Amino acid sequence: HGVGGKSADSSMVTAGVAHLRFWTLRDGGVLSNRRASLPPALQDPPPTFVCVACLENELCVAGTDAGLLLVWAGPVLVRQVAAHDGPAFALAVNQAERALLSAGADGVLRLWGFDSLQARGSLDIAHVLAGSTAEPRAGERKAIESAITASTKPLKRPTSTTPSAAIASVIECASVNAV
């Protein structure tokens, strides 16, 4: 379901149904991997990892079908955050702003800080997905737009009515590195 590149060109993370693997290309062209260690509370049933993004300092964040964001230092889980009601469909990273943007099936975009993974703001686009022409509140829009100041494209309302296409449209408008 997802692939994320780490800061070094020789590492990457793959994600899918009940697995998250950390891959490294070692000297001599040997490819090795380590499977993420899930705590007992996440093993029955194991999550489906829907998306993955790599932050600085070798940390990676994986979004799950249950709406969790799981932060990993290599194969070790260091933090989990309930981010969305339903699957976390997409993650995008803005290294310059030290921000992570998550998009969920609940129609909400959430902005997170790297250091604490505390929510900085959210933008509810569910009304757009339901066909409403109402614009989001100015405060919601400003919270997201402030995190993507490196972008030259404005954040705009998606034109699609399907959740995944609408979310992809918003992330594309943010001009960040979607994974």
Side-chain angles (χ1 to χ4, degrees), residues 39-61:
L42 292 175
Q43 290 180 5
D44 190 23
T48 294
F49 296 98
V50 180
C51 52
V52 63
C54 294
L55 310 177
E56 58 189 23
N57 299 329
E58 302 299 315
L59 292 178
C60 290
V61 178

Side-chain angles (χ1 to χ4, degrees), residues 78-170:
V78 294
R79 182 141 192 233
Q80 71 181 42
V81 176
H84 295 279
D85 294 328
F89 278 138
L91 296 171
V93 174
N94 184 320
Q95 295 286 355
E97 294 294 322
R98 299 181 50 76
L100 174 73
L101 183 67
S102 66
D106 55 4
V108 175
L109 299 174
R110 284 214 166 74
L111 183 66
W112 308 88
F114 278 10
D115 299 324
S116 61
L117 206 64
Q118 293 293 320
R120 290 185 186 170
S122 65
L123 177 63
D124 187 344
I125 62 169
H127 65 283
V128 175
L129 301 177
S132 170
T133 58
E135 286 292 323
R137 293 186 311 240
E140 292 175 332
R141 180 181 294 272
K142 185 172 169 74
I144 299 298
E145 287 178 339
S146 69
I148 53 173
T149 55
S151 170
T152 57
K153 298 180 190 174
L155 184 64
K156 62 182 180 184
R157 243 179 3 100
T159 55
S160 174
T161 57
T162 63
S164 58
I167 290 166
S169 171
V170 171

